[in-house]
């Protein structure tokens, strides 16, 4: 197991964890080197033209579970999470929680990690940079209506280049929970309301909680109603599933305390849209 944090971040404060227990060789130096190299790559690369203040950097984590390793070829899964602070509070709200099962890559110990947006740099670079720009897009959508479009387009460029390699997760044939599918959907007009709901939920909802908790809850209910409209167009979509993967516990806690609001219709909608989280929804007092 390797966990490390480096200073000098640009857009990101990233933590990378490599778990190699399943390989039977968890103490090989290559796993520690990989974790350290990825953190330096993520935290010290300038990913945008925007100047980020230290408090504006995106907090994120990459948990890579290596299931097999042989001759510098890794088979793994990766969990990617991000968060941002809620205004006027010490609370961090989770923005993304991706669990990607299709992550195989070549890595030679001490090889330099470099991102070139115009060419294939291997699956390790492609997957990591795809998620970095996706995280930037999601955060931007929570700060400005449809603010993440440029970042999602950059992620789309990564998808398009990676498709030529034939790797899993990059094409329309990769299934309903792939990197291709999430990016394709979030950029489609069908999901523009989903992205607007992110703004309503965060800027008009969570970020105003300290000023007026009851009104903030009403705005969050409004955001859930918007998501209901999206769900009618495309039920059980990967985009919507990742939203509730990130937000289910938060929603449960948010509506279980503080000033009361009418939650009955919202509860019905949550149970309809995300039935796999019915345990969390059952904790909400109607």
């Amino acid at each position: 197991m390797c966990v490390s944090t480096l200073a000098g971040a640009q857009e990101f404060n990233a933590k990378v964890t490599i778990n190699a227990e399943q390989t039977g060789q968890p103490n090989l130096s290559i796993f520690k080197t990989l974790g350290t190299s990825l953190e330096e790559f993520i935290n010290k690369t300038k990913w945008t033209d925007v100047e980020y203040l230290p408090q504006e950097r995106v907090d994120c984590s990459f948990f890579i579970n290596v299931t097999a390793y042989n001759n510098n070829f890794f088979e793994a899964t990766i969990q990617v999470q991000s968060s941002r602070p809620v205004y006027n509070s010490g609370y961090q709200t989770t923005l993304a929680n991706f669990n990607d099962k299709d992550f195989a890559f070549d890595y030679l110990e001490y090889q330099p990690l470099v991102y070139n947006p115009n060419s294939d740099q291997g699956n390790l670079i492609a997957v990591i940079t795809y998620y970095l720009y996706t995280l930037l897009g999601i955060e931007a959508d929570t700060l400005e209506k449809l603010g993440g479009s440029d970042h999602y387009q950059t992620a789309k460029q990564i998808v398009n280049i990676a498709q030529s390699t034939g790797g899993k997760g990059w094409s329309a044939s990769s299934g309903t929970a792939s990197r291709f599918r999430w990016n394709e959907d979030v950029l489609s007009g069908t999901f523009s309301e989903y992205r607007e709901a992110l703004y309503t939920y965060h800027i008009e909802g969570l970020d105003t909680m300290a000023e007026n908790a009851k009104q903030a809850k009403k705005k969050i209910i409004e955001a859930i109603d918007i998501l209901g409209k999206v769900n009618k167009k495309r039920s059980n979509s990967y985009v919507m599933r990742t939203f509730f993967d990130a937000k289910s516990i938060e929603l449960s806690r948010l509506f279980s305390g503080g000033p009361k609001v009418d939650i009955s219709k919202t509860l019905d909608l949550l149970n309809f849209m995300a039935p796999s989280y019915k345990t969390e929804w059952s904790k909400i007092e109607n």
Side-chain angles (χ1 to χ4, degrees), residues 7-23:
Q10 303 292 337
E11 288 84 358
F12 293 98
N13 286 324
K15 294 182 180 179
V16 177
T17 302
I18 309 294
N19 184 345
E21 294 294 330
Q22 287 182 254
T23 68

Side-chain angles (χ1 to χ4, degrees), residues 40-54:
E40 290 181 345
F41 174 62
I42 295 168
N43 288 331
K44 293 189 175 182
T45 301
K46 193 76 175 73
W47 298 101
T48 72
D49 294 329
V50 178
E51 292 298 325
Y52 279 65
L53 297 173

Side-chain angles (χ1 to χ4, degrees), residues 92-142:
Q92 289 272 341
T93 180
T94 301
L95 299 182
N97 184 5
F98 292 96
N99 286 284
D100 191 329
K101 306 300 182 184
D102 293 324
F103 187 33
F105 58 92
D106 292 293
Y107 171 73
L108 183 65
E109 190 168 15
Y110 301 115
Q111 76 177 63
L113 301 180
V114 180
Y115 170 56
N116 183 333
N118 299 310
S119 65
D120 173 44
Q121 303 295 304
N123 208 47
L124 175 61
I125 298 295
V127 170
I128 296 299
T129 54
Y130 164 85
Y131 280 116
L132 290 175
Y133 283 107
T134 299
L135 298 185
L136 287 173
I138 292 171
E139 190 205 32
D141 275 350
T142 72

Side-chain angles (χ1 to χ4, degrees), residues 197-208:
L198 290 183
Y199 178 86
T200 300
Y201 184 105
H202 292 90
I203 286 287
E204 298 179 347
L206 282 184
D207 287 336
T208 66

